[in-house]
Amino acid sequence: MNAKILTTLEYSKIIVKLKEHAATSIGKEMVEQIEPSTDIEIVKNLLQLTDEAFAADRLKGSAPFGGIFNISSSLHRARISGTLNATELIEIASTSRGSRRVKRHISTVNEEYSVPSLMNISELISEHRELEEAIWTCINEQGEILDQASAELATARREIRLGESRIREKLENMIRSSSVQKMLQEAIITLRNDRFVIPVKSEYRSSFGGIVHDQSGSGATLFIEPEVIVTLNNKLREMRIQEIREIEKILQKLTAQVADCVEDFLYDQQLIATLDFTFAKARYAHILKAIRPRMNDRGYIKLKKGRHPLIDPRQVVPLELELGNQYHSIIVTGPNTGGKTVALKTVGLLSLMAMSGLFVPAEDGSQLCVFDAIFADIGDEQSIEQSLSTFSSHMTNIIRILQEMTSKSLVLLDELGAGTDPAEGSALAIAILEHIHAKECRVIATTHYSELKAYAFNRKGVINASMEFDIATLSPTYRLLVGVPGRSNAFAIAERLGLSSAIIDVARGEVSDEDMKVESMIASLEENRLSAESDRDTAQKLRLEMEQLRIKHEQDKLKFEEQKENLLVKAQNEANAAITKARKEAELIISDLRKLAMEEGASIKEHKLIEARRRLDQAEPEIKVKKKPARDGKKQKIHAGDEVKVYSLNSKGHVVEIHGEEATVQLGIMKMKVKLEDLELLQSQSTTPAQPQKQVATLKRTKDDSVRMELDLRGESLEEAILEVDRFLDESFLAGMGQVYIIHGKGTGVLRSGIQEYLRRHSHVKAYRNGNYGEGGIGVTVAELK
C-alpha cells in the first residue's frame, strides 16, 4: 500500500493508538510494522484472530504478558558464544515463564469458549522449565548470583565474609584505642579500592604507618590502610577474585544452556509478539466499541453507522453508505464544511483498518472489501518549492491514480476539478469520472459543480449524494444522504443573514430557468425525504408500542389463567374435603347398621350397601383443570409404579410399565396404553416419604398397586377384623378379583373361626378354605368370590 495514502487517510494515527494497547516491547514493534493486506484469506485469518482475542478478553480479561522482554539481542550473543550477564539471563528466564503463562491462559479460555486460531499459535510456544529452574536457582530477581549457584562460590563468599569480619574486628580495636583516636579525623571504617581503610589526619601521616589509598578534597584527611591489616586485605582481594572467576564460570555455563535453545526462543518471541499484537487489537476494539466486519473481494461496501475512529465519539455523526452493488460511483455535492471530506476519509480509513485485521467502529451487518489498492486525492497539496498550483498538484496526483488503478481499486477524490475555470473544471471532472467508471473502479468523489449532478442522475451505476444542511439553523448536520443531490442554499443563507430581498431577487433572475428547476426538484426531494423519515420514525415508535402492549397482554393472559386454575383447584379441594367428611359419616352409619343387623339378626342386603356406596362415590364432583405448560421446559420423569392422572380420561391410576413414549396404566380393573404427554405425575413411588407405622390392619398389594389381594388382620379384635373384611371384600368384588387371602394367624383360633363364620354367610363369597402348604396353612383363609 502506498505510504502517501496511509498518511493522507491518517492510518498512522490509528497505529499510534493501537500501540498504546500492546503490553510488550516486541508487541509494540509488531504494531509499528502492521500494513493492510490485499489477500482476502490473510485478512479473514487476521480478523478471526482478533475476534477470538476479543472474546477471550471479554471472558477472562487481558492475557498475562507481564515479565516478557525483548531478548533477541541476548539470544544472538549467546549464539556466537558471548557470555550473558545475570540481568540478561533473568530476562530470558522471565520471558520463558511469561510465555508459558500466556499459553496456559489461552488454554483455559479454550475450555469455555473455542479459540482454535489462538490455540494453534499458543501450542507452538516451547517450554524450557529445566533452563528456567537452572537460572532461578543461580540468580535472584534482582540479578544477583546466589551462593547456592556452586559449592566453590559458596566457599569463596564464606571466606570473604570471614576475612571482612577479621579486618573489621582489628580496625575497630584500633579506633577504640585512645592513642589512635587522636590521629583520626573520624572513628569510622570505610573502603577505598575494595580495601578497608580508616580516615587519618594528614599531620599524623609520618607517625601512622600503612598504605595511603586516597585523600579528601581538602587534603586534610588521608585514607590509610594500616600495616596490621595489609595481609588480611590481600587475602580478601584474592578471595574476591576467586568469587568473580566462579561467577564467570556460572554465567558461561548458563549461557551455554541458553545457546542450545536459541532457535526455540527466537521463534517463541515471534509467537508472543503476534499474540500481544492480536490482544492489542482486541482491547482497541473494546475502546472503539467496534465490530468484526464481513469481508469480500467483489468491491462491495456497506457501512451501517460507521464512525471515524479519530473523532470524539460524542461528536461524530455515523455514516450510512452502500457502494458496489447497484452503483459503483457516488458523487457527493454540496457546500463546504458539510463533512464531505470526513465521509471520504471514514470510508478509506475503515477499509484500511479492516484490511489490517482490525475491527471497525460500526454496527453489525457492515461489510467491507479487500481492495488491491486504495487511492486518495484529498486536501490542498499546493507546493511552492515545485511551483505547482492547487489545480496542478491535484492533477498530478489524479494522473498517477489513473495510471495505477485497477478494477479492484477504491478511488477517493475530494473537490474534483477544483482550482480552475468552472466550465472547464466540471467538464474535466466528468471526463475523469467517466474514465474511472469505465474501468469499473469503485469511486467516491466530492465536488461543487452542479453539472455533475446531472451526470450522476443520467449515468447508470452512478448515484448522487449530499451532506444534509439544516436551513433553520444555517448549519450542516454532517449526515450523508445517498440518492439526493446537494443544494447550494446560497440564497436561503443570504436571506436569513439579512441580505436585501431586492438583491436576492436580482440574483435569482441571473440564474437560468433550468438551474432553478433543478434546485426546485432537489428541494422537493429533500422535503419528501424528511417527510418519509418522519413517517418512518412514527411507524417505528408505534411498532415498539404495539410490541410492548402485546407482551403485556400475553403476561396478563397468563396471569389470568394461573388465577383461574388456582381458584378451580381451591374449589375442588374444598369440595373434596366436604365429600370426605360426608363419606366418613356414611361409613359410620353403614357400620352401625351392620352391627345392628348382626345383633338383632336382621338381614340387610350387602349389594344394597355396595350400591349406596357407589352412588356416594359418584356424587363426588370432578373439576377438570387445564394442564399447565411446563415453564422450565423439562419433562416429567415417570417410572413404573408411580401414581398418575390421565388428562384425557380425568382418571387416576398406576403405571405398570413404560414403552418409549407410551405407558401402560392400571385404571381400576382396566389396563390401557396412554401417551406420556397425557399423564401427570401425582406421586412417585421412589420419592414417597415413609409413613409412621400404626397398629392397624395392613393391606398388602400386588404389582398393580390399585388391586388388593391380601388382608393382614393379625393383632386385631374380631369386631375390628369383621369391619376390615367387609370393606376388603367389597373392594375385591368391585375390582373383579376371583380369589383373595385373609391373614389372621393361628393363635387360639377365635379370629379364624369368627372370620370364616362371617365369610360363610357373606353374599360375595362363593367358597372359602384354609390355606394350603406354602400359602400360610391354617393361619390364612382363602376366599373365592362370585
Side-chain angles (χ1 to χ4, degrees):
M1 196 68 67
N2 190 301
K4 184 179 179 181
I5 300 300
L6 301 181
T7 303
T8 300
L9 295 175
E10 302 177 289
Y11 180 77
S12 57
K13 293 182 179 179
I14 297 295
I15 301 304
V16 171
K17 290 187 175 293
L18 178 60
K19 188 177 175 182
E20 296 174 359
H21 298 282
T24 66
S25 58
I26 54 178
K28 293 180 187 296
E29 288 179 6
M30 180 165 278
V31 171
E32 291 174 349
Q33 299 168 5
I34 182 177
E35 286 188 356
S37 173
T38 57
D39 187 320
I40 188 169
E41 292 304 322
I42 292 176
V43 171
K44 286 182 176 179
N45 290 336
L46 289 173
L47 286 171
Q48 175 64 24
L49 272 172
T50 307
D51 190 44
E52 292 179 9
F54 189 88
D57 190 73
R58 175 174 52 83
L59 290 171
K60 293 291 185 179
S62 300
F65 287 100
I68 294 177
F69 301 90
N70 186 349
I71 57 175
S72 300
S73 59
S74 300
L75 294 174
H76 288 305
R77 283 206 304 112
R79 176 187 276 167
I80 59 174
S81 302
T83 302
L84 303 180
N85 60 39
T87 302
E88 290 175 314
L89 288 167
I90 283 296
E91 288 182 352
I92 289 172
S94 177
T95 299
S96 178
R97 184 168 62 184
S99 300
R100 192 157 29 85
R101 276 199 304 266
V102 173
K103 181 177 182 179
R104 188 167 58 247
H105 174 81
I106 293 174
S107 178
T108 302
V109 172
N110 191 62
E111 292 175 0
E112 296 184 19
Y113 181 88
S114 178
V115 285
S117 299
L118 289 177
M119 282 294 293
N120 289 339
I121 295 175
S122 67
E123 286 175 347
L124 296 175
I125 297 174
S126 58
E127 297 189 21
H128 299 279
R129 292 177 182 267
E130 291 184 6
L131 176 58
E132 289 176 42
E133 290 299 324
I135 294 175
W136 292 119
T137 300
C138 297
I139 310 171
N140 63 18
E141 292 185 355
Q142 287 71 43
E144 300 169 346
I145 306 298
L146 301 172
D147 292 358
Q148 65 197 40
S150 73
E152 291 79 4
L153 179 62
T155 301
R157 285 184 171 173
R158 186 168 56 252
E159 291 295 330
I160 289 171
R161 287 190 290 271
L162 184 61
E164 288 177 346
S165 177
R166 290 173 179 171
I167 292 170
R168 285 184 178 278
E169 184 179 353
K170 286 187 176 295
L171 290 178
E172 285 174 357
N173 290 333
M174 288 182 66
I175 62 178
R176 281 198 296 267
S177 171
S178 57
S179 59
V180 174
Q181 279 185 352
K182 66 179 182 179
M183 294 185 283
L184 299 179
Q185 197 70 260
E186 289 182 87
I188 61 172
I189 301 170
T190 186
L191 285 170
R192 288 293 185 275
N193 300 322
D194 287 335
R195 298 180 77 87
F196 285 93
V197 296
I198 54 177
V200 180
K201 295 176 182 177
S202 58
E203 59 264 28
Y204 293 104
R205 171 69 188 91
S206 57
S207 58
F208 197 95
I211 302 170
V212 177
H213 286 278
D214 198 4
Q215 68 177 3
S216 65
S218 64
T221 304
L222 299 175
F223 295 93
I224 297 176
E225 178 185 359
E227 291 180 0
V228 67
I229 64 167
V230 169
T231 303
L232 292 176
N233 262 336
N234 289 340
K235 179 66 175 175
L236 184 62
R237 176 65 178 166
E238 290 175 6
M239 296 310 300
R240 283 178 174 157
I241 292 173
Q242 181 66 24
E243 177 191 25
I244 292 171
R245 287 175 180 167
E246 285 302 321
I247 288 175
E248 188 69 18
K249 288 180 182 178
I250 292 167
L251 294 178
Q252 288 176 351
K253 180 181 177 181
L254 293 174
T255 301
Q257 290 180 257
V258 171
D260 294 337
C261 308
V262 165
E263 299 302 327
D264 286 349
F265 281 131
L266 287 173
Y267 188 53
D268 290 346
Q269 285 263 281
Q270 296 177 11
L271 298 175
I272 290 296
T274 301
L275 290 173
D276 187 18
F277 167 56
T278 302
F279 277 92
K281 291 190 292 182
R283 286 189 286 271
Y284 189 39
H286 279 295
I287 297 297
L288 290 179
K289 296 181 180 178
I291 56 94
R292 176 183 180 177
R294 291 176 57 191
M295 302 303 296
N296 65 83
D297 58 356
R298 53 187 178 85
Y300 180 63
I301 295 176
K302 182 178 182 180
L303 282 179
K304 299 180 70 175
K305 294 189 177 180
R307 308 180 302 278
H308 196 290
L310 301 176
I311 299 178
D312 188 339
R314 294 168 295 183
Q315 299 177 355
V316 67
V317 177
L319 177 67
E320 296 277 349
L321 180 141
E322 186 173 358
L323 175 68
N325 193 4
Q326 296 179 354
Y327 41 83
H328 296 170
S329 303
I330 299 177
I331 312 299
V332 186
T333 53
N336 285 329
T337 70
K340 297 193 300 294
T341 303
V342 172
L344 285 184
K345 287 188 173 182
T346 300
V347 175
L349 184 55
L350 296 191
S351 296
L352 291 175
M353 289 175 65
M355 292 165 65
S356 303
L358 293 168
F359 283 12
V360 296
E363 286 195 351
D364 286 329
S366 297
Q367 293 192 50
L368 289 167
C369 174
V370 177
F371 294 102
D372 64 358
I374 297 177
F375 300 100
D377 179 55
I378 298 174
D380 186 0
E381 299 185 10
Q382 181 175 352
S383 172
I384 296 176
E385 293 180 359
Q386 298 179 14
S387 301
L388 294 176
S389 67
T390 299
F391 177 74
S392 298
S393 90
H394 278 298
M395 286 310 303
T396 301
N397 200 17
I398 289 172
I399 290 169
R400 182 184 58 81
I401 292 173
L402 296 177
Q403 291 172 345
E404 297 179 7
M405 70 182 188
T406 70
S407 60
K408 294 185 177 180
S409 301
L410 173 65
V411 179
L412 306 172
L413 302 174
D414 191 27
E415 302 297 346
L416 182 60
T420 188
D421 178 75
E424 294 180 354
S426 61
L428 192 58
I430 291 173
I432 291 171
L433 288 172
E434 184 63 24
H435 177 76
I436 296 174
H437 185 68
K439 289 272 190 173
E440 296 185 350
C441 252
R442 304 303 187 262
V443 60
I444 304 176
T446 69
T447 182
H448 286 297
Y449 297 134
S450 59
E451 289 83 357
L452 269 72
K453 301 174 188 176
Y455 166 75
F457 184 77
N458 294 320
R459 190 70 170 85
K460 184 179 179 182
V462 183
I463 193 168
N464 275 306
S466 62
M467 304 306 297
E468 187 179 52
F469 192 88
D470 190 346
I471 297 295
T473 61
L474 300 181
S475 61
T477 64
Y478 303 104
R479 288 180 59 204
L480 179 67
L481 306 175
V482 178
V484 180
R487 299 172 58 195
S488 65
N489 300 309
F491 295 153
I493 293 173
E495 187 175 9
R496 286 291 302 271
L497 292 175
L499 187 63
S500 170
S501 298
I503 297 175
I504 293 174
D505 290 340
V506 172
R508 284 198 176 101
E510 294 297 322
V511 179
S512 67
D513 292 341
E514 186 176 346
D515 289 339
M516 288 301 295
K517 288 180 180 178
V518 171
E519 286 295 315
S520 298
M521 178 192 70
I522 295 173
S524 176
L525 285 173
E526 190 165 354
E527 184 178 348
N528 290 336
R529 179 188 61 79
L530 292 173
S531 176
E533 286 187 353
S534 176
D535 292 343
R536 184 187 63 190
D537 291 342
T538 302
Q540 180 72 2
K541 290 179 182 178
L542 288 173
R543 189 186 68 80
L544 290 174
E545 290 177 2
M546 290 299 296
E547 183 66 18
Q548 292 173 352
L549 288 173
R550 185 189 66 79
I551 294 172
K552 187 175 183 301
H553 173 71
E554 291 291 337
Q555 292 174 344
D556 291 344
K557 182 180 178 183
L558 181 60
K559 186 177 180 181
F560 172 76
E561 290 291 338
E562 289 179 350
Q563 290 176 344
K564 183 179 74 173
E565 291 175 8
N566 290 336
L567 289 173
L568 286 172
V569 171
K570 182 180 179 181
Q572 185 180 30
N573 291 337
E574 291 175 352
N576 288 340
I579 291 169
T580 301
K581 182 179 179 182
R583 183 188 295 275
K584 289 181 179 179
E585 292 177 356
E587 290 289 346
L588 288 173
I589 292 170
I590 292 173
S591 177
D592 290 343
L593 288 174
R594 282 189 176 138
K595 287 182 180 179
L596 184 61
M598 291 179 65
E599 291 173 358
E600 298 183 359
S603 176
I604 299 176
K605 299 294 185 180
E606 289 292 332
H607 69 278
K608 291 183 179 181
L609 293 175
I610 294 170
E611 179 64 20
R613 185 182 289 109
R614 185 181 63 80
R615 289 200 304 272
L616 184 63
D617 289 339
Q618 291 176 345
E620 180 180 351
E622 294 184 355
I623 303 174
K624 294 185 179 180
V625 180
K626 184 179 178 182
K627 182 181 178 181
K628 294 184 180 179
R631 292 185 182 177
D632 58 359
K634 296 181 180 178
K635 292 183 177 179
Q636 301 176 92
K637 291 185 178 179
I638 298 176
H639 304 89
D642 290 345
E643 185 177 3
V644 295
K645 178 179 181 180
V646 182
Y647 282 108
S648 58
L649 301 176
N650 194 27
S651 300
K652 297 178 183 178
H654 289 80
V655 177
V656 177
E657 53 187 357
I658 306 288
H659 329 269
E661 295 298 320
E662 289 187 335
T664 300
V665 181
Q666 181 78 44
L667 299 169
I669 62 173
M670 205 170 38
K671 288 185 181 179
M672 63 184 302
K673 289 186 178 180
V674 184
K675 295 284 186 182
L676 288 177
E677 61 187 15
D678 194 28
L679 299 179
E680 180 187 9
L681 181 64
L682 297 179
Q683 188 174 16
S684 176
Q685 194 177 55
S686 58
T687 59
T688 303
Q691 298 295 328
Q693 293 184 353
K694 296 181 180 179
Q695 294 300 321
V696 294
T698 302
L699 184 65
K700 295 186 179 180
R701 300 182 185 273
T702 61
K703 181 179 179 182
D704 293 340
D705 195 42
S706 59
V707 181
R708 302 181 293 179
M709 297 193 62
E710 294 180 357
L711 178 63
D712 192 344
L713 299 173
R714 286 173 292 183
E716 296 291 322
S717 66
L718 179 60
E719 185 179 349
E720 292 173 341
I722 293 297
L723 291 175
E724 291 295 330
V725 169
D726 181 57
R727 290 187 187 134
F728 176 60
L729 292 175
D730 286 346
E731 290 177 358
S732 301
F733 178 76
L734 290 174
M737 300 296 295
Q739 180 174 281
V740 295
Y741 299 84
I742 300 172
I743 305 170
H744 41 66
K746 297 177 182 178
T748 60
V750 173
L751 189 58
R752 179 179 71 250
S753 300
I755 290 172
Q756 289 183 352
E757 176 60 25
Y758 179 72
L759 294 178
R760 183 180 63 77
R761 54 190 177 82
H762 199 285
S763 61
H764 296 330
V765 178
K766 180 169 65 175
Y768 64 89
R769 60 177 173 80
N770 289 329
N772 296 324
Y773 179 75
E775 292 180 328
I778 61 173
V780 175
T781 297
V782 181
E784 292 184 17
L785 304 183
K786 296 180 180 179

